[in-house]
Amino acid sequence: MTTQRRTLIAAAAGGLALGLTGCNSGSSTPSSSTPMPSATGTITIGVSTDEPGVSLKQGSAYSGFDIKTAEYVAGKLGLTPQWVPVNQPDRITALESGEVEMVVATLSITDERKQKIDFAGPYFVAHQDLLIRRNDEQLRGPEYLDGKTLCSVTGTTSAAYVKANFKGDITLREVPTFSECVRNLADSTVDAVTTDDLILAGFAATPEYKGLLKVVGKGFTDETYGIGVKKGNTELVGKINAALKEYISSGAWKDALDETVKPSGYKIPDPPTVGG
């Protein structure tokens, strides 16, 4: 990214009317608590597209908790979000290359990722869990995975955690998307899917899988979600953190979760401390 473009982004984050390059301009329906942009500038935001209740694209429309979070933050910056679909393995490189200016895509804050990008937040804490078939009474937690085939998404902390911490006879199948993992589970070609419980609950609640799949409900990690920005953009991090603090204190954070995630039966946790 050129010096001139970085200057434009920093100014836009302060709410000035600057037109930044974007793509895929599908939009969700903002809630009454979502601040409206005060200018005509845009900001490119990398998002997932196949996480029901969290970040889902249907046609040209986007919905879910991550989408509402990104809309709120962008509104506080005085900007209109321009959605850019990013696959899980490509979230970091999309920021590094300048393809997007923010990533809001269930991106866990880790020390390894902090070497490459900066984080604002956190804005949510999820827990890694297992999704299984509803009639499976044996797979009651990760300690029962010996001899099983487990599916996860390439480039996620979930796949890395399984590789590092469960040394039994576990076959780990890594695929590009969560929806592919879940289809494999429903087709009985894998025994379980692992990722964050927030994402798994969304899939279990969809009409296609409701009554067929269930979340084990024994989370075994903390996954602290942050908003990713390009390394060194501390000014933007500060502005996003200020927006997230207001997002939580105003009640808009809980409203967004109640609307998008709570219908799945997921128990809404207390909010995290932003900047903590």
Side-chain angles (χ1 to χ4, degrees):
M1 186 183 294
T2 65
T3 300
Q4 181 182 13
R5 180 165 170 76
R6 284 195 295 267
T7 302
L8 288 176
I9 292 170
L16 300 179
L18 297 173
L20 302 179
T21 302
C23 57
N24 266 58
S25 57
S27 177
S28 70
T29 302
S31 66
S32 58
S33 57
T34 301
M36 299 304 293
S38 60
T40 57
T42 61
I43 184 167
T44 50
I45 305 178
V47 294
S48 299
T49 60
D50 72 332
E51 300 173 10
V54 182
S55 190
L56 184 68
K57 182 183 181 186
Q58 294 176 299
S60 62
Y62 290 76
S63 63
F65 173 60
D66 271 3
I67 300 300
K68 288 192 174 294
T69 299
E71 285 176 332
Y72 189 96
V73 169
K76 283 297 176 182
L77 299 178
L79 301 170
T80 298
Q82 295 289 306
W83 308 121
V84 180
V86 292
N87 293 325
Q88 294 284 312
D90 302 327
R91 293 172 294 178
I92 305 301
T93 56
L95 284 168
E96 291 178 319
S97 68
E99 180 185 2
V100 300
E101 296 147 73
M102 287 169 42
V103 166
V104 187
T106 58
L107 184 62
S108 296
I109 301 171
T110 68
D111 289 338
E112 180 181 358
R113 287 171 175 165
K114 285 180 180 180
Q115 302 302 311
K116 299 178 180 180
I117 64 171
D118 285 337
F119 283 96
Y123 66 92
F124 194 82
V125 180
H127 308 282
Q128 186 173 348
D129 210 323
L130 299 175
L131 184 69
I132 61 174
R133 289 180 289 277
R134 183 164 289 277
N135 61 359
D136 188 339
E137 300 298 334
Q138 296 182 338
L139 224 173
R140 301 188 297 274
E143 64 272 26
Y144 296 93
L145 284 169
D146 190 38
K148 304 292 186 180
T149 299
L150 181 66
C151 191
S152 191
V153 173
T154 306
T156 63
T157 55
S158 300
Y161 187 85
V162 169
K163 288 178 179 178
N165 292 277
F166 297 101
K167 302 298 186 181
D169 182 21
I170 303 170
T171 301
L172 180 61
R173 179 182 297 179
E174 294 182 88
V175 299
T177 65
F178 292 118
S179 55
E180 183 176 346
C181 261
V182 177
R183 284 195 302 270
N184 289 341
L185 177 62
D187 293 342
S188 299
T189 55
V190 302
D191 297 298
V193 176
T194 189
T195 188
D196 305 343
D197 52 4
L198 183 70
I199 298 169
L200 298 177
F203 276 106
T206 62
E208 183 178 4
Y209 299 118
K210 191 172 185 179
L212 298 176
L213 306 178
K214 66 180 180 181
V215 180
V216 170
K218 294 183 179 179
F220 46 92
T221 68
D222 290 337
E223 301 298 330
T224 306
Y225 294 165
I227 294 180
V229 303
K230 195 165 187 177
K231 191 72 176 173
N233 198 341
T234 55
E235 182 178 358
L236 184 55
V237 169
K239 293 178 183 297
I240 295 172
N241 277 340
L244 289 174
K245 288 176 181 178
E246 187 170 337
Y247 183 44
I248 291 171
S249 65
S250 68
W253 180 86
K254 185 177 184 302
D255 290 344
L257 284 166
D258 285 347
E259 181 179 339
T260 60
V261 173
K262 192 174 181 179
S264 72
Y266 186 89
K267 184 179 179 181
I268 305 302
D270 293 332
T273 300
V274 177

